[in-house]
Amino acid sequence: MLDYQHLAILREVDRSGSVTAAAERLNVSQSALSHMIRKVEERYGVKLWLKQGRGLRFTQAGEYLLGLAQRVLPQMEHAERVLTDFAQGRRGALRAGMECHPCQRWLMRLTPRYLAAWPDVDLDVRTAFRFDGVAALLGHEIDLLITPDPVDLPELLFTPVIDYELVLVVHEAHPLARRDWATPPDLLDEVLITVPVGVERLDIYTQFLVPGQCRPRQHRTAETTDLMLQLVAARRGVSVLPDWLVREEGAQLPIRAVRLGKGGINKSINLGVRRGEEGIAYIAGFLSLAQELEVKADPSADWS
């Protein structure tokens, strides 16, 4: 049967011009090479080349198989390189899932660097914020989870990449804008604007309002952080966002960030992977780039 080796012989004989030279380049003996070709010729009842003086010329059958070799061998060699890349973690598909709206803004800053550094890796990002990210990671639906809420499970490894403070965002003319920090009762008469997730997943409730036994007058949601900031700037309510995002996206808006409680609410963005897969090259590359990515701080801004 025809196989890769037969096609490689034909291509090398054509390149080198002789059976002897082809055998040397393929690291086989001349007799072994001639034997393999003779087996093909006997099986199909054709000659692949004929001697012509000191050289040789291909027959019609030989020219046909040589053309096949020139088309197929490069594709097979490319496939071998691709498989090697897969085995060594240089190629693949990284499926990332996110559990928070600000995580998307952070990821979009990292994405260009990652795509440039890993051109042979497909990055698939899921922005279904309401899905159970930990279950998706454990179930191999995603390969990497971006979340502000890591969990302690033996099967998973979480790496913090950005520390930040969750702050209350108010209009610059709001009475709270002149305060060093806000207390839970300060929000009793406010319209609180948050991302569209259940209150049990909102830190402003679980770490601030519920312990303080308070609820805002009204709770509404907005799909994007841009819209949340614009609503605050229009005095439609107050919101809660990471301090770095307020600095970056709200610098030109008439808003101010106020600490939530005297000690503040400190959080971090974490990258979760299945334990043992952190060494896969393109996953390790993502983790490394993420840890190098610094949140730009405006030294002239005072958000405390």
Side-chain angles (χ1 to χ4, degrees):
M1 299 289 290
L2 280 173
D3 61 24
Y4 179 97
Q5 196 170 28
H6 296 127
L7 296 180
I9 290 172
L10 288 166
R11 184 177 64 175
E12 202 55 57
V13 167
D14 178 62
R15 286 175 174 177
S16 60
S18 74
V19 174
T20 301
E24 290 178 356
R25 291 176 63 90
L26 293 172
N27 199 28
V28 297
S29 67
Q30 180 179 340
S31 60
L33 186 152
S34 298
H35 178 72
M36 284 186 281
I37 293 300
R38 190 162 53 250
K39 295 271 288 187
V40 173
E41 292 176 331
E42 291 173 353
R43 177 178 180 83
Y44 294 101
V46 296
K47 296 293 287 183
L48 298 183
W49 59 63
L50 299 171
K51 290 184 179 181
Q52 193 172 47
R54 294 187 176 182
L56 54 81
R57 66 175 178 85
F58 285 94
T59 64
Q60 277 190 307
E63 291 283 1
Y64 170 76
L65 289 183
L66 176 61
L68 178 65
Q70 291 169 338
R71 293 192 304 273
V72 171
L73 291 180
Q75 296 181 49
M76 295 184 70
E77 289 162 354
H78 174 70
E80 290 174 343
R81 290 193 297 269
V82 170
L83 291 175
T84 299
D85 286 347
F86 277 128
Q88 297 178 356
R90 295 196 301 264
R91 183 186 297 264
L94 178 58
R95 301 166 299 168
M98 291 179 291
E99 282 193 320
C100 68
H101 282 64
C103 294
Q104 183 181 23
R105 180 77 64 177
W106 172 84
L107 178 61
M108 290 305 100
R109 293 171 18 179
L110 178 63
T111 298
R113 299 187 188 187
Y114 184 74
L115 293 178
W118 297 87
D120 295 320
V121 174
D122 293 327
L123 180 61
D124 179 20
V125 179
R126 298 190 180 187
T127 56
F129 300 107
R130 297 176 180 84
F131 84 118
D132 186 342
V134 170
L137 188 57
L138 289 171
H140 292 257
E141 297 175 47
I142 58 175
D143 306 301
L144 183 141
L145 176 63
I146 307 170
T147 179
D149 300 306
V151 295
D152 186 13
L153 289 175
E155 303 96 326
L156 303 180
L157 176 66
F158 284 89
T159 303
V161 290
I162 288 183
D163 295 323
Y164 64 90
E165 183 176 339
L166 206 61
V167 294
L168 180 70
V169 188
V170 301
H171 190 275
E172 63 182 11
H174 193 288
L176 287 174
R178 299 186 293 272
R179 297 266 297 276
D180 291 333
W181 68 81
T183 63
D186 290 328
L187 273 63
L188 287 173
D189 198 39
E190 298 293 339
V191 176
L192 178 62
I193 306 166
T194 73
V195 294
V197 299
V199 296
E200 72 279 358
R201 294 185 56 193
L202 291 170
D203 293 306
I204 183 62
Y205 278 91
T206 61
Q207 296 194 42
F208 191 70
L209 292 172
V210 172
Q213 298 182 328
C214 296
R215 294 185 70 88
R217 175 171 58 86
Q218 182 183 346
H219 178 197
R220 60 172 295 188
T221 63
E223 287 290 338
T224 67
T225 54
D226 288 339
L227 179 57
M228 294 166 68
L229 291 171
Q230 290 294 336
L231 289 170
V232 173
R235 304 190 185 192
R236 300 294 183 88
V238 300
S239 188
V240 176
L241 289 167
D243 56 351
W244 62 266
L245 193 148
V246 179
R247 283 194 296 267
E248 292 189 354
E249 305 300 325
Q252 306 303 318
L253 297 174
I255 59 176
R256 184 171 175 79
V258 181
R259 177 161 286 165
L260 288 163
K262 188 174 182 180
I265 298 179
N266 296 303
K267 300 282 292 182
S268 61
I269 290 179
N270 295 261
L271 303 182
V273 298
R274 288 179 289 274
R275 194 174 293 276
E277 295 185 2
E278 67 275 11
I280 296 175
Y282 60 81
I283 293 179
F286 189 96
L287 296 175
S288 177
L289 285 174
Q291 290 172 313
E292 293 172 4
L293 184 66
E294 296 182 359
V295 176
K296 296 179 182 178
D298 181 358
S300 65
D302 179 12
W303 300 105
S304 60

